[in-house]
Amino acid sequence: MNSSSWQFDEFQHIGTDYESYAEVETYDNRMNKLRDIKDEAKCILCMLNLKPEHTLIEIGTGTGEFAIAAADCCSKIIAIDVSESMLKYAEKKARSRSVKNIQFVKAGFLTFQLPNESCDAVVSQFALHHLPDFWKQIALLRIYQMLKTTGKMYLKDIVYSFDPKKEDNFFERYITTLMTTGNDDLQYFVRHVNTEYSTLAWIMEGIINKAGLSIEWAEYKDEFIAAYLCSKSSI
Ligand SMILES: C[S@@+](CC[C@H](N)C(=O)[O-])C[C@H]1O[C@@H](n2cnc3c(N)ncnc32)[C@H](O)[C@@H]1O
């Protein structure tokens, strides 16, 4: 044991193992069926209002779809992920689409190193729930530090906004729907709920505010997906 052994090991995968290359391919195919990824990216990029000289950091880039879409809008993108397999997959995809301005870095919310106030925008989608709440707070404090004073953060994740007194009801209702539609997302949903660290909406909002970030816009969807556009405010 040493003085840093209390720190959370973000490289140890919890829930779905994104170090497995088969899982990475499955994830990419599943997301392309489930989401309109191009349209999502377009909306986020429109909200961020990026300029060609801007630097954007994506944390938990996964298979790289957002970073690749953003590559047309600004000169420098740093795409961060803790999974080597995700990074290799995303890098290959970027190469195949002749995208050259993305730097792929193996690091996470708690370990990436960037100078203070060095980036214009931070985007993270469906990745922060890999950290328990205390570490989510540390992650957002670190994001606050690296954003320029005019910087923006777009955060989307699985965040519970249903009434927790009705939690059985919510999960059972959702699982029953997935079972009746024969949807193969069922196993991922169950694994997410019982092993990963999604939090409640009021806690997520508190964590964002405590980090010194102001929520300019928020959207809650289906009582378990939340998106926030935040700007820097003084701590
Ligand atoms: C559900 S995927 C989301 C990928 C992509 N952002 C998307 O929207 O499809 C979660 C990603 O977060 C990564 N991840 C997990 N823990 C992380 C951490 N502490 N820091 C950065 N990325 C992390 C995983 O390796 C995985 O690529």
Side-chain angles (χ1 to χ4, degrees):
M1 197 159 296
N2 59 42
S3 64
S4 61
S5 52
W6 57 275
Q7 298 233 5
F8 186 79
D9 179 5
E10 62 179 342
F11 291 91
Q12 199 172 38
H13 288 274
I14 53 118
T16 302
D17 178 10
Y18 292 115
E19 211 51 83
S20 145
Y21 204 76
E23 198 64 73
V24 170
E25 267 189 317
T26 307
Y27 182 82
D28 200 36
N29 293 332
R30 216 162 55 81
M31 287 304 118
N32 274 302
K33 271 194 224 148
L34 203 68
R35 296 159 60 183
D36 186 342
I37 298 203
K38 287 204 167 60
D39 192 58
E40 279 176 23
K42 208 166 129 192
C43 293
I44 299 167
L45 291 165
C46 179
M47 279 196 249
L48 291 174
N49 192 22
L50 294 169
K51 305 272 183 300
E53 67 276 15
H54 281 174
T55 297
L56 178 141
I57 315 294
E58 190 191 13
I59 309 177
T61 193
T63 60
E65 286 290 351
F66 175 77
I68 292 169
D72 274 347
C73 301
C74 60
S75 55
K76 187 173 175 194
I77 294 170
I78 306 177
I80 293 168
D81 205 288
V82 291
S83 157
E84 191 97 44
S85 306
M86 278 291 194
L87 288 168
K88 276 195 185 139
Y89 192 94
E91 215 166 349
K92 195 169 156 199
K93 195 189 277 183
R95 257 200 319 275
S96 75
R97 297 188 197 170
S98 308
V99 172
K100 299 200 173 93
N101 55 338
I102 307 176
Q103 188 187 344
F104 291 94
V105 178
K106 184 173 178 184
F109 289 102
L110 307 174
T111 44
F112 63 80
Q113 296 293 342
L114 278 178
N116 286 353
E117 302 197 2
S118 59
C119 72
D120 301 278
V122 173
V123 172
S124 184
Q125 298 191 78
F126 301 112
L128 192 63
H129 66 260
H130 288 275
L131 300 180
D133 284 0
F134 171 73
W135 298 101
K136 288 189 184 79
Q137 183 72 76
I138 302 296
L140 294 201
L141 283 163
R142 299 186 88 237
I143 288 172
Y144 176 91
Q145 277 184 336
M146 67 179 193
L147 277 174
K148 290 183 186 167
T149 46
T150 51
K152 304 251 187 228
M153 174 184 79
Y154 177 89
L155 175 68
K156 187 188 246 184
D157 204 358
I158 299 182
V159 174
Y160 304 138
S161 56
F162 55 81
D163 180 351
K165 286 191 219 107
K166 299 179 188 155
E167 128 257 7
D168 283 358
N169 198 347
F170 175 81
F171 290 129
E172 266 162 35
R173 196 160 29 92
Y174 197 76
I175 285 168
T176 307
T177 312
L178 291 179
M179 282 165 88
T180 48
T181 54
N183 196 316
D184 62 355
D185 290 325
L186 178 61
Q187 56 165 315
Y188 292 95
F189 183 77
V190 169
R191 192 188 298 144
H192 177 87
V193 175
N194 63 29
T195 59
E196 300 180 10
Y197 302 111
S198 272
T199 197
L200 295 155
W202 62 270
I203 297 178
M204 196 64 242
E205 288 180 9
I207 289 174
I208 292 172
N209 289 325
K210 283 274 181 213
L213 295 158
S214 308
I215 300 173
E216 288 184 0
W217 167 93
E219 182 181 72
Y220 291 98
K221 200 170 155 245
D222 298 333
E223 297 185 292
F224 76 99
I225 293 180
Y228 308 94
L229 179 71
C230 307
S231 58
K232 255 183 127 164
S233 54
S234 50
I235 269 184

